[in-house]
Structures are given as structure tokens and as C-alpha cells.
Amino acid sequence: MTSTALLDWLSECVILAYVEDCQDRALSDKTIDWYAWHLRRARDWLSAEPGYNACDFLTRDGMTAYHRSTRSSLANNSRAYMTNCLRTFGKWLETFGQQNPCAHLRRPRLEKQLPDVLSQRDVKRLLHELSQPGASVRERALVYLFLDTGLRVSEMAGLNRFDLDLEAGQLTVRSGKGRKGRVCFFSPTTAAALGEYLNTHDRPDCFVSQKRGGGAAQLTDNGIR
């Protein structure tokens, strides 16, 4: 990439080059998609603003105008992530001899909220339903594992049966946030539920969906939701 191409720094080729760099740094797919979305959003805003061009956008005033334009359409946390995206992208531009146009942007304070969780009564009701005759062994294994480990949906979908050690009551997450692995532990009750479910199929994936017409496929994030 030449310095001349960087003058039009929000062109698709520059954004794709940045995406490739993020992939080389092993950022998560969701983070990369989020960064790319924000950069394209900035490009669309710029194209709709006759008073700004690519060079103007590299100035403090241009960046501030764009930042302010998001306040009515993005929540505070989303604007914080947007600002982080632009600041990270600006640092990347510095590696090509460009001045970082985003260094002055201050990241809005994130709103800290307690997560919504099931009450103890709701958990008991859920486990009671899963213990009834005819309850799905797959759903029982999923719920027990969620309650014991707190895995993310994407982590649950990516589990392989060989990542599980039922005797030791532990599993290895290989596709965690930031592509970092970790070990999680679960109870003997959950191990029994998992063992019962894994005996229903022979695929290497831990959780599978039954397709129409026979056969099985790895259960996706949306399938689990």
C-alpha cells in the first residue's frame, strides 16, 4: 500500500487492508466485523457531507463532527466502542507515516449495568422441567453446562467432544474471546447429562442439530439461542 492510496483512507481497499491486519493479529471475528462496520459507517457519513473530504476528515474538526453525528443514533456504549475503533485505526495509519487523526478523541465512559440473571426460583423450575420424562437430553445437557460454566453461546457452539473430560468434570474452551483458551469445570450431574447426550450421536462436535431428511450438523450460535 502506498502513501498516495492512504490519502483516500476510507476507501474499500484501505478498510480491507486494515481488516487483514486485524486478522493477522488474531482479533476475534466479531471484533473485526465491528471495526469494519464502523469504518464503512464513517465513509458513508463522509460521502453525505458536502463540507468534508478525505483530507478534511483527517483533521480534528472533521473527526469531532463525525463523532458528534453519532450521538442521536448510537447508545453511549456503542459510541465508546466506535471511538475505540477509530483510535485503533488511527494508530494503524501511523505505521504508514500518517498522522493519527483520532488520538484526541476521548472514549465515552461505559455504562456499567448488572447483568440480568435467572432467579433461584426460575432455575429450580427450569431444572424441574428438564428432569421430566420425555425432556430433551440435548437441552438438558446444554442448560446444565450453561449454568455450571457460564460459557458464551459461541463457545458452546464451538465445543468438540474431545474438549470434554467427563471423568475430571472439566472442559477446554479453544475459541474464547480474543481467541484465548481456558479451562472450565462442571459438576458430576452435568457430566452425567453430557454423557447421556453424547451417546446419542457420533459426530466430533459436542452439540448437533438434526436436519430434515436425516443426518446431523454442528449446532450453530443461532440454533442454541
Side-chain angles (χ1 to χ4, degrees), residues 40-222:
R40 292 186 174 107
R41 185 182 190 278
R43 180 186 62 198
D44 293 342
W45 177 86
L46 184 61
S47 65
E49 291 292 323
Y52 290 95
N53 56 44
C55 292
D56 291 332
F57 202 62
L58 291 171
T59 66
R60 178 189 298 267
D61 291 342
M63 291 302 301
T64 300
Y66 172 68
H67 186 230
R68 287 176 177 172
S69 76
T70 66
R71 291 186 177 178
S72 61
S73 57
L74 288 179
N76 191 58
N77 282 8
S78 296
R79 288 191 294 109
Y81 292 128
M82 180 212 71
T83 303
N84 183 63
C85 165
L86 293 176
R87 286 172 60 89
T88 303
F89 181 71
K91 290 181 180 180
W92 179 75
L93 287 176
E94 289 180 341
T95 64
F96 297 92
Q98 299 293 312
Q99 183 178 2
N100 184 351
C102 314
H104 68 283
L105 290 178
R106 293 184 178 181
R107 183 177 180 181
R109 181 176 298 178
L110 291 175
E111 300 173 356
K112 296 183 179 180
Q113 299 178 348
L114 292 176
D116 294 328
V117 297
L118 293 175
S119 66
Q120 186 175 11
R121 179 183 178 184
D122 288 338
V123 171
K124 289 182 177 180
R125 290 176 60 190
L126 180 61
L127 296 181
H128 174 74
E129 292 298 325
L130 291 172
S131 67
Q132 299 303 303
S136 168
V137 294
R138 186 186 68 179
E139 274 60 50
R140 181 161 54 240
L142 275 168
V143 170
Y144 273 60
L145 195 57
F146 267 129
L147 292 175
D148 272 3
T149 64
L151 291 179
R152 297 177 177 86
V153 174
S154 59
E155 294 171 344
M156 189 76 77
L159 279 178
N160 189 295
R161 67 166 62 229
F162 302 110
D163 295 329
L164 303 173
D165 186 337
L166 299 184
E167 292 186 3
Q170 67 181 50
L171 61 85
T172 301
V173 177
R174 306 185 189 277
S175 56
K177 187 174 183 179
R179 300 186 182 181
K180 296 180 180 179
R182 69 181 188 280
V183 175
C184 296
F185 301 91
F186 48 84
S187 68
T189 301
T190 299
L194 285 168
E196 181 182 7
Y197 169 64
L198 290 175
N199 286 333
T200 65
H201 71 86
D202 57 3
R203 284 184 57 87
D205 310 303
C206 184
F207 296 101
V208 299
S209 62
Q210 296 296 328
K211 291 186 175 181
R212 294 181 179 179
Q218 183 180 26
L219 195 60
T220 64
D221 296 18
N222 287 336

